[in-house]
Amino acid sequence: MTWTLHPEGCGTRVLLRHSGFDPDDPVQQLSRSIMGSGWPTVVRNLGKALDTM
């Protein structure tokens, strides 16, 4: 997993790259799908946490 921060306007854009999954392995693809659906919640919670700082 790689986080990249870029200045944007008066804030910062956070880019997240979650890689390393074998496209030919069904178990890894299932894991990728399950984890992928959870990232929007993580990002929303991160934003809320940072807003309180």
Side-chain angles (χ1 to χ4, degrees):
M1 186 178 339
T2 304
W3 296 84
T4 307
L5 305 175
H6 295 281
E8 184 171 297
C10 60
T12 303
R13 179 175 294 266
V14 179
L15 301 174
L16 167 69
R17 182 171 184 199
H18 197 172
S19 62
F21 297 96
D22 181 350
D24 297 322
D25 183 325
V27 173
Q28 288 189 29
Q29 285 307 301
L30 177 60
S31 297
R32 179 180 178 265
S33 294
I34 291 168
M35 284 186 266
S37 63
W39 280 116
T41 301
V42 170
V43 171
R44 276 192 306 276
N45 290 335
L46 175 62
K48 289 177 188 175
L50 292 173
D51 285 344
T52 64
M53 297 180 124

